[in-house]
């Protein structure tokens, strides 16, 4: 819940007029203090909306947000990210180009110091970006909050923690194929984001990267130890196989 507060504070501190957007929190069956935090924000901000989705599942929550959204652009953020100061302003600018179907920025580790040396052996490069797939992070070398770079990229660089789509694209795709599985069966969750990325690629859709649409990812220490990484590689391998089948 503490991280959720930091995420929401970074949203409402955006440079652009936040009345140009709505902020939706989907409480996906949590039992913590999320509802109490959201009640406070509802009192403070007229563009803040809160909904409870009892059925668990990442894509269940995403689809619920899609159905509740009222704008023409839908942005998905994890509850443990901090937005760059010009994130909202840049998103609005990028989508002024009606040919843009989706956009993304980097997902940068908030604290590089907690990343163990053993994690770096998994680092790779995709389209010129540094990528750590085990913790769902990627970044441009030398990225900072004051320099803007932009270019078209492959849809695979849209990471779920910071993904922006034109709503008409998601409606064409019928949303995300839902999971709604118990945790030990998440490896059989279907294609979700992969299906959307494939659709964008097959339809030769324009996907734009802009460094100012980036976020910091507040990673927990337990998510970078060897036992967790081993489990994630196993789960992701089964998930990829299931998606292919």
């Amino acid at each position: 819940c503490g991280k959720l507060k930091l995420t929401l504070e970074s949203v409402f501190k955006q440079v652009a007029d936040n009345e140009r957007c709505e902020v939706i929190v989907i409480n996906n069956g949590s039992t913590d203090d999320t509802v109490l935090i959201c009640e406070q924000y509802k009192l403070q901000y007229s563009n803040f909306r809160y909904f409870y989705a009892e059925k668990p599942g990442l894509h269940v929550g995403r689809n619920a947000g899609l159905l509740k959204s009222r704008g023409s652009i839908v942005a998905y953020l994890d509850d443990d990210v901090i937005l760059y100061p010009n994130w909202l302003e840049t998103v609005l600018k990028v989508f002024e180009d009606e040919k843009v179907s989706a956009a993304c920025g980097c997902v940068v580790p908030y604290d590089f110091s907690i990343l163990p040396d053993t994690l770096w052996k998994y680092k790779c490069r995709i389209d010129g970006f540094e990528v750590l797939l085990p913790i769902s992070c990627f970044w441009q070398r030398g990225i900072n909050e004051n320099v803007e770079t932009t270019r078209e990229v492959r849809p695979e660089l849209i990471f779920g923690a910071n993904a922006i789509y034109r709503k008409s694209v998601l409606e064409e795709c019928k949303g995300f194929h839902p999971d709604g599985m118990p945790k030990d069966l998440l490896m059989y969750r279907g294609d979700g984001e992969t299906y959307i990325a494939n659709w964008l690629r097959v339809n030769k859709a324009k996907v734009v990267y802009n460094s100012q649409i980036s976020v910091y990812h507040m990673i927990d220490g337990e998510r970078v130890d060897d036992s967790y990484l081993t489990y994630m590689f196993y789960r992701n391998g089964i998930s990829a196989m299931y998606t292919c089948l």
Side-chain angles (χ1 to χ4, degrees):
C1 283
K3 290 180 179 177
L4 175 60
K5 284 184 177 180
L6 292 173
T7 298
L8 291 174
E9 285 302 313
S10 76
V11 170
F12 288 112
K13 287 180 180 177
Q14 289 297 294
V15 174
D17 178 7
N18 61 34
E19 291 298 328
R20 296 184 65 187
C21 73
E22 60 180 351
V23 180
I24 299 175
V25 170
I26 303 295
N27 183 350
N28 196 205
S30 70
T31 56
D32 55 18
D33 292 333
T34 295
V35 62
L36 298 177
I37 292 171
C38 290
E39 287 296 332
Q40 296 172 10
Y41 280 91
K42 281 172 64 177
L43 296 174
Q44 288 180 265
Y45 301 101
S46 60
N47 61 332
F48 181 84
R49 304 168 69 209
Y50 165 86
F51 300 97
Y52 184 80
E54 182 176 2
K55 184 179 179 181
L58 172 63
H59 300 314
V60 172
R62 286 176 176 167
N63 287 335
L66 173 62
L67 291 171
K68 297 293 184 181
S69 66
R70 298 179 292 200
S72 60
I73 301 166
V74 180
Y76 291 98
L77 298 167
D78 281 1
D79 60 358
D80 57 358
V81 301
I82 295 175
L83 279 61
Y84 269 31
N86 294 317
W87 186 94
L88 176 56
E89 186 177 47
T90 308
V91 167
L92 295 172
K93 180 178 69 174
V94 166
F95 279 90
E96 287 176 358
D97 180 355
E98 295 185 357
K99 294 181 180 179
V100 173
S101 294
C104 66
C106 294
V107 181
V108 186
Y110 181 71
D111 184 0
F112 278 88
S113 69
I114 72 165
L115 306 183
D117 292 339
T118 54
L119 180 65
W120 292 100
K121 65 183 178 182
Y122 301 116
K123 183 172 74 70
C124 61
R125 288 179 65 82
I126 299 176
D127 279 2
F129 294 97
E130 308 293 314
V131 182
L132 274 172
L133 286 174
I135 56 173
S136 300
C137 287
F138 80 98
W139 62 93
Q140 170 190 339
R141 285 184 178 177
I143 188 172
N144 63 68
E145 297 178 1
N146 301 312
V147 177
E148 180 178 2
T149 60
T150 185
R151 62 184 173 95
E152 289 188 44
V153 293
R154 293 187 291 172
E156 288 78 11
L157 272 173
I158 303 176
F159 281 34
N162 181 32
I164 307 101
Y165 303 94
R166 201 172 289 280
K167 188 175 184 179
S168 57
V169 168
L170 296 178
E171 291 174 336
E172 179 72 20
C173 293
K174 304 294 191 293
F176 298 87
H177 293 173
D179 38 24
M181 300 266 187
K183 187 175 181 180
D184 59 333
L185 296 179
L186 272 175
M187 61 190 70
Y188 307 112
R189 61 184 173 186
D191 50 15
E193 297 165 39
T194 304
Y195 173 76
I196 306 294
N198 287 340
W199 187 96
L200 291 166
R201 185 176 57 257
V202 169
N203 287 275
K204 298 179 179 179
K206 186 173 183 178
V207 178
V208 171
Y209 160 82
N210 189 297
S211 59
Q212 292 302 305
I213 308 178
S214 296
V215 301
Y216 298 107
H217 191 191
M218 297 177 282
I219 303 160
D220 290 326
E222 61 265 24
R223 289 187 58 188
V224 292
D225 64 32
D226 284 341
S227 61
Y228 182 82
L229 293 177
T230 299
Y231 163 72
M232 286 302 295
F233 275 119
Y234 171 76
R235 195 181 84 178
N236 290 343
I238 297 296
S239 181
M241 181 185 68
Y242 184 74
T243 295
C244 289
L245 292 174

